[in-house]
Amino acid sequence: MADKEHKEKKIEAAPEKKAEKRPKGTVRLREKFEKEVKPALMKEFALKNPMAVPHLHKIVVNMGVGEATQNAKVIDPAVNEMGAIVGQKPVITKAKKPIAGFKIREGYPIGCMVTLRGARMYEFMERLIKLSLPRIRDFRGVSPRAFDGNGNYTLGVKDQSIFPEIELDKIKRNIGFDVTIVTTAKSDAEAKALLAEFGFPFSDRHRKAA
């Protein structure tokens, strides 16, 4: 009887199991899409089939490094900085044909790019919206007119230092890049509604023009 009571005490004193850690790329935006964004878009566009709801397909980050044509050493820091920002190793882009006016030969490195999908895509999107864009000086939102007519949106970033992953004291030069958000939307209106539901900070200044 004493042994039984001793075992029961041990069970009661056992520490609780720790909650499982969320995977890297918290996929909170993906969860938000399923629970909030999808129902909202189905109602707004009168969609009966959940599969018809537009969603994020991929995000392409493309950085051009013109100086690399004269000094190949500048490409490595650019690749490292982009890798730190997106959490994935970029691919070096090379010139497909020579351009005499810019002294560019075929095969010269001219920049780098990366394509994000799945959890990394959602994680990058969340950091872009909540952390990076608000760090732009005098930020008043992004233009809603940067859609391509096919439901894709391209945002130009002039300064990589808005991303907290970049150490300011190690930046040797400002390098801009483009972020293209590719969606499955059939129209720019659907794509804009999708991004707005995610919290994309569109500027009111261009609302009439959009």
Side-chain angles (χ1 to χ4, degrees):
M1 187 71 178
D3 291 341
K4 185 177 181 181
E5 291 178 356
H6 182 65
K7 288 180 180 179
E8 288 179 351
K9 287 182 180 180
K10 278 190 174 182
I11 292 173
E12 292 174 359
E16 296 181 0
K17 290 184 178 180
K18 293 182 179 180
E20 293 184 5
K21 293 182 179 180
R22 298 176 66 91
K24 186 177 181 181
T26 58
V27 301
R28 280 177 292 196
L29 281 192
R30 180 182 288 171
E31 293 174 355
K32 181 176 181 178
F33 174 76
E34 294 294 337
K35 296 179 181 179
E36 302 176 25
V37 177
K38 181 183 288 188
L41 294 180
M42 289 186 70
K43 182 178 180 180
E44 181 175 349
F45 295 101
L47 301 173
K48 296 182 179 180
N49 184 358
M51 299 300 291
V53 177
H55 59 269
L56 298 181
H57 177 56
K58 63 182 178 181
I59 294 179
V60 180
V61 183
N62 186 30
M63 178 187 290
V65 187
E67 191 179 343
T69 60
Q70 306 299 322
N71 181 9
K73 293 183 179 180
V74 302
I75 197 70
D76 290 334
V79 170
N80 292 336
E81 288 182 2
M82 179 182 284
I85 290 171
V86 302
Q88 183 174 313
K89 186 177 181 180
V91 175
I92 295 177
T93 53
K94 298 181 179 181
K96 295 182 179 179
K97 58 182 180 179
I99 304 177
F102 293 94
K103 298 181 180 180
I104 297 177
R105 295 182 181 180
E106 183 178 355
Y108 264 33
I110 55 175
C112 56
M113 68 168 292
V114 67
T115 300
L116 304 174
R117 303 177 189 273
R120 283 181 176 169
M121 171 184 69
Y122 281 101
E123 190 268 343
F124 174 78
M125 182 78 162
E126 183 174 15
R127 285 190 291 110
L128 179 68
I129 294 172
K130 295 183 178 180
L131 298 177
S132 301
L133 290 178
R135 296 181 68 182
I136 297 176
R137 181 177 295 179
D138 299 325
F139 181 67
R140 297 180 182 178
V142 298
S143 171
R145 296 184 293 182
F147 289 92
D148 65 353
N150 296 308
N152 306 314
Y153 185 86
T154 298
L155 170 69
V157 177
K158 297 180 179 180
D159 186 356
Q160 76 272 36
S161 67
I162 66 172
F163 290 89
E165 295 79 12
I166 299 298
E167 298 181 39
L168 299 180
D169 58 339
K170 293 184 178 180
I171 294 178
K172 294 183 178 180
R173 58 181 60 80
N174 288 335
I175 302 175
F177 54 88
D178 292 330
V179 177
T180 300
I181 303 170
V182 181
T183 77
T184 62
K186 296 180 180 179
S187 67
D188 289 348
E190 287 187 356
K192 183 184 176 184
L194 170 65
L195 298 185
E197 287 291 339
F198 276 130
F200 214 71
F202 289 112
S203 171
D204 292 337
R205 293 177 298 170
H206 304 283
R207 180 173 294 176
K208 294 182 179 179

